[in-house]
Amino acid sequence: MKNCEYQQIDPQALPTPTPTPPPPHHHHHHHHHHGHDGDKREEPNRLRRKWEVFPGKNRFFCGGRIIVARQSGVLPLTLGLILVTSVLFFIFDCPFLVKHLTSCIPVIGGVLFIFVVITLLQTSFTDPGILPRATPDEAADIEKQIENTGSTSYRPPPRTKEVLINQQVVKLKYCFTCKMFRPPRTSHCSLCDNCVERFDHHCPWVGNCVGKRNYRFFYTFIVSLSFLTAFIFGCVTTHLALRAQGGKGLVFALQESPGRYPSLSNLVICFFSVWSILGLSGFHTYLVASNLTTNEDIKGSWSGKSGAECATNPYSHRNIFINCCSVLCGPMPPSLIDRRGFLPVDEYAQTSGTDIELPTLAAKSEINVCTQGTKGLLESATRSPLLSTPCPQGKPQSAHTCPDNSPTVNSDPSPELSTSCGARHTARSLSDTSPPRHTKTRSKKSKRAALHIPNPAFDDPASPTSPDAGPSTKGSGQKGATSASMH
Amino acid sequence: MAETHSLQDMRQQAAVAAKVFIQRDYTNGTVCQFQTKFPSDLETRIDKQQFEETVRTLNNLYAEAEKLGSQSYIEGCLACLTAYTVFLCMETHYEKVLKKIAKFVQEQNDKIYAPRGLLLTDPIERGLRVIEVTIFEDRSLTR
């Protein structure tokens, strides 16, 4: 353990120059010396927060209070679409409707709109239930236990553990990245490189995983969004119908209305999104009522599809009402990753030589190494050549972690992770099935490309990220699933 | 290493002999419960009853935090109506119980475990995965 610490701070700036620094580090070293003497006095007072050294692929804002996945996906698009549709509605349809119907309409619309935006932002910015990675001691302890129960044959022992939950046998898998046995219902999202509790799916529209902590936000978001789109759709239709009544038919009404193009486009967008979002809401209502996750539903863990004889969901309370209450109104679990906590002082003391002016890339990966495990010696050896490229931002401890951090650090398959990474990569390339992903189709184009491909072969609901690679709409597929499973 | 922080000095005095990890017990589902089985490494240090009592109390506290009762439902419904913005201002029930647990662990450490050269780590610091019990070498006790 001590050795690990020593090795880990070796390439970094120490008050005294290292005896034989490897060549790639030379220019780092020079870089330190300038600002170093001045900062040396300030260093002991500069404590670092845990979010700055977080090993997953996440980005943090506002000093760690806001967390998003590194690939924010199409969150700006989602927000933009909602904003544009609502604003068009308020500008072009509301005045007419207020005059001819009632003035409640903009009020209701406004309330729904605010609800939708708030829940969307909460879904995107909340920690979905990320499990922190195992500390080196824990990982070593688990390894020891595995070796004890393992065989002496050539094959490595299978890293699964079986537990009995409510008289149902559940297999717990070992996560090679987080170095622990995953609790039940936990899954590792490879897009975010984190194990997430009660993992539902990774939603690109929201730009975050949906898990235990933000599922209720997500559900409220899609339900209120379906209300909002249905409301706007209804209002625009009423608007056009009223105009058509007064005039000489629909075409004339369209010609004379000031906002004919916005209203029409609103109508079209809403028409297509209403069906897909209603379908999605219906699907998730079914999931909530039976206390399932999208992940489990797709893999068929409890319906007997994947070969289990008589598997029933051991987490369900057998009562729809109680299931709904426990999922949506249950106590809010705390965030386990403690983003704003300070790094413990002894860890800090190891890295006390770290120059704050160092690019965050180097600092982050070094501390990564320490927390990755006692086998981090190997990792540090393989990773140090990568540290030669400084982060282009080069800003010290800015609120935004360098987005280029993660690819160089996390995609480096260290020797012991290579098997799992390799397995994951080959699995990915073999089956181009898409993960239990979400699409809220708000455009005609993607609605036409409706595919619903289940992926029972997958351990982690991962997939290469390409939002425009024919996203599989769940609209039709979900409705199929819903109708099939709701007898 | 040139500088040694004072905290590290303290830890170096009482060298860590071993660490024992109490894993989670999933027989009741995903609620937070820890196994009450007494680890063999602690046999020489502490009474079995005492330890099991600690773990059982912790389990009860976590069960209280995650309880699905009328209070949590009311809290949940109210939060839903306000688009969950109350979570930004109010402290949730779970967090209140976590504070209680932290105090309990501190208390147990001071009264029972520290005199025996052991240290309980609050499970929340380990992501509610394990209860980490650090066993310090006997050498520190004889000083």
Side-chain angles (χ1 to χ4, degrees):
Chain A
M1 204 41 201
K2 281 271 187 66
N3 278 341
C4 168
E5 299 155 24
Y6 244 97
Q7 277 290 47
Q8 175 236 318
I9 57 172
D10 205 5
Q12 284 303 354
L14 283 178
T16 58
T18 52
T20 48
H25 291 280
H26 261 304
H27 76 275
H28 259 267
H29 215 64
H30 274 293
H31 183 62
H32 296 143
H33 266 302
H34 297 304
H36 199 72
D37 305 306
D39 289 327
K40 222 166 58 164
R41 263 158 265 127
E42 295 161 19
E43 273 170 14
N45 301 332
R46 173 77 171 85
L47 286 177
R48 298 160 112 229
R49 293 195 187 260
K50 290 187 187 164
W51 64 265
E52 298 172 22
V53 300
F54 187 70
K57 289 183 190 171
N58 288 95
R59 276 196 278 198
F60 297 90
F61 301 105
C62 284
R65 291 182 182 90
I66 293 179
I67 174 173
V68 290
R70 190 173 62 92
Q71 289 137 343
S72 59
V74 288
L75 173 65
L77 175 67
T78 313
L79 262 175
L81 273 172
I82 295 174
L83 270 171
V84 161
T85 322
S86 308
V87 162
L88 286 180
F89 166 72
F90 283 123
I91 295 180
F92 293 104
D93 299 296
C94 272
F96 182 85
L97 287 170
V98 165
K99 212 168 22 156
H100 287 79
L101 280 181
T102 144
S103 59
C104 283
I105 292 195
V107 172
I108 298 176
V111 165
L112 277 175
F113 171 69
I114 291 178
F115 221 77
V116 165
V117 170
I118 290 182
T119 45
L120 169 63
L121 292 179
Q122 282 182 326
T123 313
S124 302
F125 296 155
T126 310
D127 167 19
I130 297 176
L131 270 181
R133 302 195 179 176
T135 57
D137 299 320
E138 270 178 72
D141 185 69
I142 294 180
E143 289 281 340
K144 220 176 17 172
Q145 279 179 16
I146 295 177
E147 277 162 31
N148 284 342
T149 58
S151 55
T152 49
S153 64
Y154 288 113
R155 274 181 305 136
R159 295 202 169 191
T160 56
K161 207 161 66 164
E162 291 201 347
V163 287
L164 205 64
I165 299 179
N166 289 334
Q167 282 83 48
Q168 177 82 39
V169 174
V170 175
K171 257 198 183 146
L172 301 184
K173 295 199 182 78
Y174 182 78
C175 181
F176 283 93
T177 318
C178 305
K179 302 223 178 22
M180 59 177 176
F181 280 98
R182 283 185 213 131
R185 306 192 105 173
T186 304
S187 203
H188 190 97
C189 175
S190 54
L191 288 170
C192 305
D193 204 24
N194 289 314
C195 269
V196 177
E197 286 193 298
R198 203 185 184 278
F199 182 78
D200 199 80
H201 64 283
H202 182 102
C203 184
W205 292 87
V206 153
N208 202 0
C209 290
V210 177
K212 183 161 88 168
R213 295 186 77 243
N214 65 353
Y215 187 69
R216 64 191 75 194
F217 304 146
F218 176 74
Y219 184 74
T220 316
F221 166 61
I222 56 175
V223 167
S224 49
L225 186 63
S226 36
F227 280 132
L228 179 68
T229 46
F231 181 72
I232 293 183
F233 181 67
C235 286
V236 172
T237 316
T238 316
H239 175 200
L240 293 174
L242 285 177
R243 276 197 192 268
Q245 262 184 354
K248 301 172 189 123
L250 190 58
V251 175
F252 188 72
L254 283 176
Q255 276 175 346
E256 87 175 5
S257 85
R260 63 176 182 272
Y261 289 124
S263 289
L264 265 183
S265 61
N266 239 5
L267 193 68
V268 162
I269 294 178
C270 283
F271 180 71
F272 287 104
S273 29
V274 156
W275 299 119
S276 50
I277 295 180
L278 268 179
L280 194 62
S281 304
F283 175 62
H284 276 279
T285 309
Y286 158 71
L287 287 182
V288 164
S290 38
N291 203 333
L292 280 174
T293 64
T294 308
N295 203 13
E296 288 167 354
D297 187 72
I298 298 253
K299 290 202 299 202
S301 319
W302 312 121
S303 64
K305 262 193 267 174
S306 59
E309 299 86 33
C310 47
T312 55
N313 183 4
Y315 313 107
S316 165
H317 297 109
R318 316 275 169 221
N319 179 335
I320 291 185
F321 184 65
I322 298 184
N323 277 341
C324 290
C325 285
S326 76
V327 174
L328 299 174
C329 307
M332 181 71 175
S335 174
L336 295 174
I337 53 177
D338 188 24
R339 304 183 288 282
R340 289 185 48 80
F342 289 105
L343 279 179
V345 184
D346 56 338
E347 255 182 64
Y348 177 70
Q350 297 154 17
T351 61
S352 61
T354 308
D355 191 352
I356 348 170
E357 283 177 9
L358 252 192
T360 28
L361 165 70
K364 187 174 167 178
S365 57
E366 282 304 89
I367 300 181
N368 245 358
V369 168
C370 186
T371 51
Q372 291 289 5
T374 46
K375 302 182 185 168
L377 286 175
L378 282 168
E379 290 178 311
S380 59
T382 54
R383 278 183 191 171
S384 43
L386 290 174
L387 300 178
S388 55
T389 54
C391 175
Q393 285 182 351
K395 243 180 110 185
Q397 307 314 112
S398 53
H400 310 265
T401 60
C402 176
D404 298 335
N405 265 348
S406 329
T408 43
V409 173
N410 291 50
S411 62
D412 172 36
S414 68
E416 65 176 38
L417 296 180
S418 59
T419 45
S420 70
C421 278
R424 273 211 286 266
H425 283 297
T426 47
R428 252 190 243 163
S429 54
L430 279 177
S431 56
D432 59 331
T433 59
S434 52
R437 236 196 220 174
H438 250 58
T439 50
K440 294 189 198 24
T441 49
R442 304 202 67 151
S443 61
K444 284 190 269 187
K445 234 185 342 179
S446 35
K447 177 85 172 159
R448 281 204 209 106
L451 295 166
H452 178 58
I453 313 171
N455 55 338
F458 258 31
D459 270 326
D460 341 299
S463 99
T465 55
S466 42
D468 32 36
S472 70
T473 45
K474 292 201 105 194
S476 50
Q478 278 165 1
K479 277 187 282 184
T482 318
S483 54
S485 31
M486 276 182 169
H487 301 295
Chain B
M1 234 189 316
E3 38 183 53
T4 44
H5 209 275
S6 59
L7 208 60
Q8 217 167 4
D9 280 347
M10 265 166 57
R11 298 231 179 151
Q12 279 166 359
Q13 280 175 10
V16 176
K19 286 195 186 185
V20 181
F21 295 97
I22 315 291
Q23 300 286 339
R24 284 269 295 269
D25 175 20
Y26 294 117
T27 50
N28 287 330
T30 49
V31 285
C32 183
Q33 301 279 287
F34 291 96
Q35 292 176 352
T36 47
K37 188 170 79 81
F38 187 60
S40 52
D41 292 340
L42 293 178
E43 262 163 26
T44 55
R45 298 295 197 112
I46 192 168
D47 200 23
K48 178 173 158 158
Q49 280 289 67
Q50 192 93 63
F51 183 75
E52 283 182 6
E53 185 59 39
T54 309
V55 178
R56 223 173 278 133
T57 317
L58 271 177
N59 281 345
N60 288 339
L61 283 169
Y62 281 116
E64 182 196 326
E66 299 186 17
K67 194 167 64 113
L68 295 172
S70 55
Q71 199 214 352
S72 67
Y73 289 153
I74 291 174
E75 212 180 62
C77 287
L78 178 72
C80 179
L81 288 175
T82 61
Y84 301 108
T85 46
V86 288
F87 287 146
L88 299 170
C89 350
M90 240 174 49
E91 197 187 44
T92 66
H93 174 62
Y94 210 117
E95 284 168 359
K96 291 194 189 113
V97 179
L98 281 180
K99 287 213 176 114
K100 242 205 289 187
I101 291 176
K103 232 184 346 177
F104 171 73
V105 169
Q106 177 80 23
E107 201 190 339
Q108 291 280 298
N109 270 334
D110 290 337
K111 282 202 287 203
I112 303 176
Y113 291 88
R116 291 176 171 76
L118 298 171
L119 180 71
L120 273 183
T121 309
D122 193 342
I124 193 73
E125 291 175 26
R126 296 285 178 260
L128 293 183
R129 289 185 308 261
V130 286
I131 304 178
E132 187 179 301
V133 184
T134 317
I135 306 177
F136 292 106
E137 278 180 8
D138 264 330
R139 191 188 330 150
S140 63
L141 293 175
T142 57
R143 282 201 188 188

